[in-house]
Amino acid sequence: MDEHLARRPLGPRDRLARTSVPIHPPIAARWSPRAFDPSAVVSRHDLTALVEAARWSATWGHREPVRYVVGIRVDETFTTLAGLLKRGNSYARAAGALILVCADEGEDERTARYAAVDAGAAIAALSIEAVSRGLIAHPMAGFDTDGARRAFDLPAGLRPLAVIAVGSLGDYAQADAAVVERDSRPRERLPLDRLVLNWPL
Ligand SMILES: Cc1cc2nc3c(=O)[nH]c(=O)nc-3n(C[C@H](O)[C@H](O)[C@H](O)COP(=O)(O)O)c2cc1C
């Protein structure tokens, strides 16, 4: 690993999105850190605000199909969610909270599709609210979904989609080398002319 990268202090300001025009600052500042401060507490007030932000996201047909299970370190729910994470996501055990996001898939393929779209919108709103409060949020699909169904006795049709780790940015000097390496990589995105099919606007 490049020693310079390993020593470089990482913080939200180092990871700002490079945009062609200015955008809403919390969107530019959002990224998915893997170093959580293991002693930082996420307040119930902040957690409530995150779920509020998710609650008020757009919803197809006004179905409101997204459901959450919230664990706060070190309650039983948190411990269960932490135990369901895939090994590569074990960094998230240091988060202040873990939020399981599920979607009620309904009776047909179309309803299921838009339930997942709603869940994505909710995750986005929750993440931006977190950043605007000085927190970090990292969504993860790497967890045992069948284990989540069993552990929380989820009704049939409610599909576990992601676990979001929420907390405060940790100290990269204390982080695993693999985490430092991964989070030191430049943040890249496809150029706008690859994303917008009728570019230039
Ligand atoms: C649906 C979804 C699932 C993801 N699952 C994981 C995961 O299991 N583990 C992980 O470390 N990151 C996961 N991520 C985070 C992505 O790796 C991250 O968003 C991507 O590398 C872009 O980096 P950025 O969010 O810092 O811009 C997931 C993101 C999304 C949207």
Side-chain angles (χ1 to χ4, degrees), residues 30-32 34 89 91 138-142 187 189:
R30 186 217 60 82
W31 63 292
S32 300
R34 292 175 176 78
N89 289 333
Y91 60 82
H138 193 142
M140 298 167 292
R187 293 193 66 215
R189 286 297 191 269

Side-chain angles (χ1 to χ4, degrees), residues 35-82:
F36 285 82
D37 179 343
S39 61
V41 171
V42 182
S43 71
R44 281 171 198 276
H45 181 83
D46 279 346
L47 276 174
T48 304
L50 302 195
V51 185
E52 276 293 359
R55 179 162 82 112
W56 286 97
S57 51
T59 174
W60 177 73
H62 214 136
R63 269 193 81 238
E64 302 186 66
V66 189
R67 299 290 180 270
Y68 309 88
V69 178
V70 180
I72 303 175
R73 197 184 58 227
V74 286
D75 71 11
E76 201 181 319
T77 305
F78 182 97
T79 305
T80 301
L81 286 170

Side-chain angles (χ1 to χ4, degrees), residues 1 17 22 40 47 49 78 80 82 98 108 114 124 126 128 148 160-161 164 166-167 198-199:
M1 191 205 324
L47 276 174
F78 182 97
T80 301
L98 292 172
D108 57 84
Y114 290 116
L126 186 156
I128 299 306
L161 288 174
I164 311 174
V166 177
N198 60 340
W199 189 262

